[in-house]
Amino acid sequence: MWNIDQAYIDGAFVPVQGSERLEICNPATERAIGTVTLANREDAKRAIAAANRAQPALARSTRAQRIDMLRRLEAAVLARTDRIREATIEEYGGPLARSQWVSNYASQCFATTAQALRDYAFERRLGEATVVMEPVGVAGLIAPWNAAAGSICSKLASAIAAGCASVVKPSELGPLQAQAVTEALHDAGLPPGVFNVLLGRGSDVGDEIATSAGIAKISFTGSTQTGKLIARAGVDTMKRVSLALSGKSATLVLDDADLAATLPLALNAAFMNNGQACVAGTRLLIPRVHMKAAVELVRVAAAALRVGDPRDPATAIGPLASQAQFDRVQHFIRRGLAQGATLVAGGEGRPEGLEKGWFVRPTVFAEVRNDMDIAREEIFGPVLSMIGYGDEDEAIGIANDSPYGLQAYVFSSDAQRALRVASRLRAGTVLVNRIAPELAAPFGGVKQSGVGREFGVFGMEAFLEPKTIAAADGIA
């Protein structure tokens, strides 16, 4: 049984002052596997103070010193890849292949950022002025439960590259993943206070990070609703804010696409990470003239997906992370039926043969209108809506008719046509004839999917601010 009752502050694991305890459950079995004692506001204040003590030296550090820190972090996380993978499976229910990818990605974040830092121009001459890119200051990094390891490491890599000490608040719903990552980060031997990690409620630890004058920047990944609260809380101290928020991504299958090759990729885009992904392509736009054939292909492909033990390499979809997520998905399946969508695959309840665990049936609806709840709301589970369209303009209009704009997918046998369609989509990222992201490129959304960007050079610049120095003639 796990018993997590410490925070990582000022370079050491220390007992938390908070007293609230949460039970940790394995989502595949619903059995308790441990407890976590949450940090409180006083713990957050200690972490913020430690980061502020570390900030001056980190801000003065050289490019070479920061690259060395990133390389040490990369090696330390890589050495604990297996532990991070196991924590992701045990606590989150991530399928084996996905959990392995996440654990590898966590270390790769530091390598990718080190490469971006190597050639970055911190000083630029513009007219008669010199513009210097300086660290914004201590950063609050708030990571979600559905991408704990990768999100923590990606944000931390960008902050360190920019010279910002950090207070990291992973979701309190992912304590095992956070513990495994923090132990790895500790092994890198960075100076005390450069990063601090604590689990706590948003109402106290999160609020302290969002309102404290000791935090200059917040990088948050999570729901749009929570992101708005954080942005409002930070405005009194004029915090710089990056928000990676909810999505309702559209997958546009153009009329010249090969359905047999494309639709399995579209299903993967919709059901990745057990459907608990902000970038999931959960609106599948199909030409009406091809809808009947597409429905049959999707029905067969969805039925073939293995749902079950996340440790089984054959498993495509594991359990949802919690009872709350299970209940949420069931609610939306019922809403889809009530609003007149046609059930193609799945439906309410657990898959046959799975009596325990928060498993849901991979569910596909056809004859979905874009004004239905299942087409408007981020469900965060394996539920796909198939929406018909007449021509290319209508498809683009449907895709853009959403309060969100995080990611989109376009499939076509004509690459130039696909790129023209991609240019008209209101989304932070558009993937054309692929579902794998480019991790060196900026990531973030438009509209209510967020503010700012992460990853690579753009992720690092989110923790930097330009200072203009213009000197009179004759001053050396």
Side-chain angles (χ1 to χ4, degrees):
M1 293 285 284
W2 293 76
N3 180 27
I4 300 172
D5 59 1
Q6 295 180 320
Y8 187 78
I9 298 175
D10 213 13
F13 288 96
V14 297
V16 298
Q17 297 184 38
S19 58
E20 182 183 1
R21 299 179 72 188
L22 298 180
E23 188 175 68
I24 308 168
C25 290
N26 182 320
T29 64
E30 302 181 39
R31 290 198 296 265
I33 55 175
T35 61
V36 56
T37 304
L38 299 182
N40 63 14
R41 190 177 294 271
E42 292 306 311
D43 293 306
K45 290 178 179 178
R46 292 163 61 202
I48 293 169
N52 275 276
R53 287 192 296 271
Q55 180 59 37
L58 185 59
R60 292 192 303 269
S61 63
T62 66
R63 184 195 311 266
Q65 288 171 326
R66 294 179 197 172
I67 289 174
D68 178 66
M69 291 183 199
L70 292 170
R71 292 300 185 188
R72 286 154 60 189
L73 288 164
E74 177 195 4
V77 173
L78 185 61
R80 289 188 180 249
T81 294
D82 290 350
R83 182 170 170 79
I84 294 170
R85 181 196 64 225
E86 290 304 304
T88 303
I89 296 171
E90 184 176 12
E91 175 183 64
Y92 178 68
L96 180 62
R98 173 74 183 188
S99 299
Q100 185 66 56
W101 183 88
V102 167
S103 59
N104 289 332
Y105 166 65
S107 63
Q108 291 168 0
C109 291
F110 298 108
T112 302
T113 305
Q115 185 60 43
L117 174 59
R118 188 177 304 281
D119 301 319
Y120 185 76
F122 283 94
E123 291 192 12
R124 308 164 198 181
R125 190 72 180 173
L126 295 177
E128 296 182 352
T130 298
V131 177
V132 182
M133 301 299 288
E134 296 186 336
V136 68
V138 173
L141 313 179
I142 305 177
W145 49 263
N146 68 310
S151 189
I152 291 169
C153 293
S154 175
K155 292 175 187 295
L156 182 60
S158 294
I160 288 176
C164 295
S166 301
V167 177
V168 185
K169 192 195 97 62
S171 170
E172 68 274 15
L173 302 180
L176 300 193
Q177 300 165 80
Q179 182 72 13
V181 172
T182 305
E183 289 172 355
L185 299 175
H186 171 71
D187 290 346
L190 269 57
V194 166
F195 68 91
N196 307 269
V197 186
L198 69 167
L199 294 159
R201 295 284 189 187
S203 56
D204 53 4
V205 171
D207 184 67
E208 185 63 30
I209 292 170
T211 59
S212 171
I215 297 287
K217 158 81 181 180
I218 292 180
S219 176
F220 168 79
T221 299
S223 72
T224 295
Q225 180 181 8
T226 303
K228 290 177 180 180
L229 294 174
I230 288 171
R232 292 188 189 108
V235 75
D236 284 344
T237 49
M238 286 297 165
K239 287 179 173 46
R240 279 53 181 156
V241 178
S242 296
L243 305 171
L245 306 177
S246 304
K248 193 65 183 177
S249 299
T251 298
L252 280 69
V253 177
L254 302 187
D255 56 15
D256 60 358
D258 180 341
L259 292 182
T262 294
L263 292 177
L265 291 174
L267 269 183
N268 196 337
F271 294 163
M272 67 173 79
N273 205 25
N274 302 342
Q276 297 169 136
C278 55
V279 297
T282 53
R283 290 186 296 150
L284 178 56
L285 277 55
I286 300 288
R288 292 190 186 95
V289 294
H290 298 324
M291 182 62 79
K292 183 176 180 180
V295 165
E296 289 309 309
L297 286 168
V298 169
R299 187 195 313 275
V300 172
L305 293 172
R306 173 79 67 85
V307 182
D309 181 4
R311 295 186 184 281
D312 185 341
T315 293
I317 299 177
L320 298 183
S322 66
Q323 178 75 55
Q325 283 303 114
F326 179 88
D327 292 343
R328 176 180 175 83
V329 171
Q330 299 304 308
H331 162 76
F332 277 104
I333 292 172
R334 290 191 294 270
R335 287 296 294 160
L337 294 169
Q339 292 183 334
T342 299
L343 190 65
V344 172
E348 288 187 74
R350 293 180 173 85
E352 186 176 350
L354 294 171
E355 303 303 323
K356 281 288 186 179
W358 296 309
F359 296 96
V360 302
R361 301 169 68 189
T363 297
V364 180
F365 286 104
E367 298 184 52
V368 176
R369 300 188 314 273
N370 203 46
D371 62 353
M372 291 180 178
D373 290 351
I374 56 174
R376 306 301 293 178
E377 301 291 334
E378 185 180 52
I379 298 172
F380 232 56
V383 179
L384 175 63
S385 295
M386 299 182 71
I387 303 172
Y389 68 86
D391 59 19
E392 188 176 290
D393 287 340
E394 184 182 6
I396 293 167
I398 292 170
N400 289 338
D401 180 17
S402 171
Y404 304 114
L406 187 58
Q407 190 153 290
Y409 307 81
V410 179
F411 291 95
S412 171
S413 61
D414 183 336
Q416 291 305 310
R417 181 188 180 195
L419 291 174
R420 288 196 302 271
V421 170
S423 72
R424 297 176 62 189
L425 296 176
R426 290 280 292 146
T429 298
V430 183
L431 301 180
V432 176
N433 291 334
R434 60 185 284 177
I435 62 173
E438 172 48 68
L439 299 176
F443 173 77
V446 299
K447 299 188 281 188
Q448 294 198 42
S449 284
V451 176
R453 293 295 182 267
E454 298 189 67
F455 301 172
V457 171
F458 289 86
M460 181 172 62
E461 284 193 330
F463 293 87
L464 294 167
E465 286 202 309
K467 175 190 283 184
T468 297
I469 302 173
D473 292 343
I475 296 179

